[in-house]
Amino acid sequence: MSSTAARVLVVEDERALAGMIRNYLDRAGHDVRMCHDGATAVEVSREWVPDVLVLDLGLPGLDGIEVCRRVREFSDPLVLMVTARDDETDTLIGLSVGADDYVTKPFRPRELVARVGVLLRRPRASTPPVAVLRLGVLELDPQARTAMVAGAPVHLTKLEFDLLATLLAQPRRAFARRELIAEVWGADWVGDEHLVDTHVKHLRRKLGDDPARPAYVVTVRGVGYRAGEGA
C-alpha cells in the first residue's frame, strides 16, 4: 500500500457505480468497504471508523447530509460528498455540516480517486505551534486539537480547526483564499476558492462570531481573511 492508503467507506445506492468506485480505490491501494443506504453508513462508520467517507448526497432513508451530520457526532473522517444534483444550495449545506470536498455526477472514477488522494495528503495544519493559541476568550490547543470559547468547548471539524489555527498562528497576516487553501487543503487541491467562504461562515456560527462585527475571523475585502481582535 502507498503512504496515503486509507480505510475508505463508499456510500452509494447505485450498486454498479459503488462497485466501480470500490474497484478503482482498491487499485489505488486503499482498504475499501461499501454500503448502499444512510442508516447502514452511520452504523459501519461507528464500528469500522473509516478514514474517508465517499458519500452520495441522494441516499434512501437518511440522505448524505444527515449521514454526515450524524457521523460527525462521534467521528471525524474526511468526507468527499458525491451529488447528482445541480443545486448549489445542496452542495453548500453538505459542506456546512462537515464535508471536506465534493464531486458532481457524472464524474470519471480516476478523478474521484485523485480527490481522495488530495484529501489524504492535505496537511492538518502548517507547522502547528506548541503553545495554546488565544484570541480574547477563544482558546485553541493545536496539540490536543481542542477549541474553547469562554471556557465552553466548541466542536470543530478538521478543516475548521486547521483554518482557524492558520489564522491565529499569524494574527497580523491577511490571507488570500488561495493561500488558505494551500495551507489547509494542500497546494495540489483543485476547486472553487470560495469554498473557503463556506467554511468561514460555518466556523463563525460555531464560535458565535457576528459576521457584521466579527471578533475572531475578519473579512479583508478584496483579499480574504485574517484573525480578529477577540471578543
Side-chain angles (χ1 to χ4, degrees):
M1 286 192 178
S2 70
S3 60
T4 55
R7 291 166 27 135
V8 183
L9 178 60
V10 176
V11 189
E12 170 60 64
D13 63 323
E14 296 180 39
R15 292 175 182 262
L17 178 57
M20 181 174 63
I21 293 171
R22 177 175 188 167
N23 288 339
Y24 273 85
L25 289 167
D26 276 336
R27 292 175 199 169
H30 301 297
D31 181 8
V32 187
R33 294 187 184 182
M34 61 182 184
C35 57
H36 309 293
D37 65 86
T40 304
V42 175
E43 180 180 346
V44 174
S45 294
R46 190 184 300 274
E47 295 177 356
W48 191 51
V49 193
D51 301 301
V52 182
L53 279 179
V54 176
L55 180 60
D56 185 30
L57 182 62
L59 294 169
L62 301 178
D63 65 13
I65 290 172
E66 184 60 25
V67 170
C68 189
R69 182 180 291 113
R70 294 193 185 189
V71 169
R72 288 292 188 218
E73 293 177 355
F74 59 82
S75 185
D76 207 9
L78 295 162
V79 177
L80 178 62
M81 193 161 279
V82 180
T83 175
R85 304 177 192 176
D86 186 19
D87 189 334
E88 183 181 7
T89 299
D90 288 327
T91 300
L92 293 178
I93 291 172
L95 294 171
S96 74
V97 298
D100 298 284
D101 197 3
Y102 69 94
V103 292
T104 303
K105 297 177 183 177
F107 56 83
R108 293 178 297 177
R110 287 188 179 87
E111 175 192 358
L112 185 144
V113 173
R115 289 292 186 95
V116 169
V118 168
L119 286 175
L120 288 168
R121 292 192 298 272
R122 173 175 57 81
R124 290 310 183 203
S126 179
T127 315
V130 174
V132 173
L133 299 169
R134 292 183 173 85
L135 182 62
V137 296
L138 169 64
E139 293 188 0
L140 202 68
D141 187 335
Q143 288 188 317
R145 294 191 70 81
T146 57
M148 302 185 75
V149 174
V154 179
H155 176 71
L156 303 178
T157 66
K158 289 183 177 72
L159 275 175
E160 292 163 354
F161 190 98
D162 293 346
L163 180 59
L164 187 58
T166 299
L167 293 172
L168 266 58
Q170 300 184 60
R172 297 178 61 84
R173 177 179 173 183
F175 287 85
R177 291 179 180 85
R178 174 49 56 183
E179 290 175 319
L180 288 170
I181 285 174
E183 292 284 342
V184 178
W185 279 259
D188 53 357
W189 187 88
V190 177
D192 187 353
E193 293 181 7
H194 287 84
L195 177 70
V196 175
D197 301 341
T198 300
H199 286 281
V200 167
K201 180 179 179 181
H202 200 47
L203 184 59
R204 282 173 171 164
R205 182 184 63 79
K206 288 186 175 182
L207 297 175
D209 206 10
D210 182 0
R213 301 183 62 183
Y216 306 122
V217 182
V218 174
T219 301
V220 181
R221 296 194 180 280
V223 180
Y225 298 96
R226 66 170 174 80
E229 302 297 327

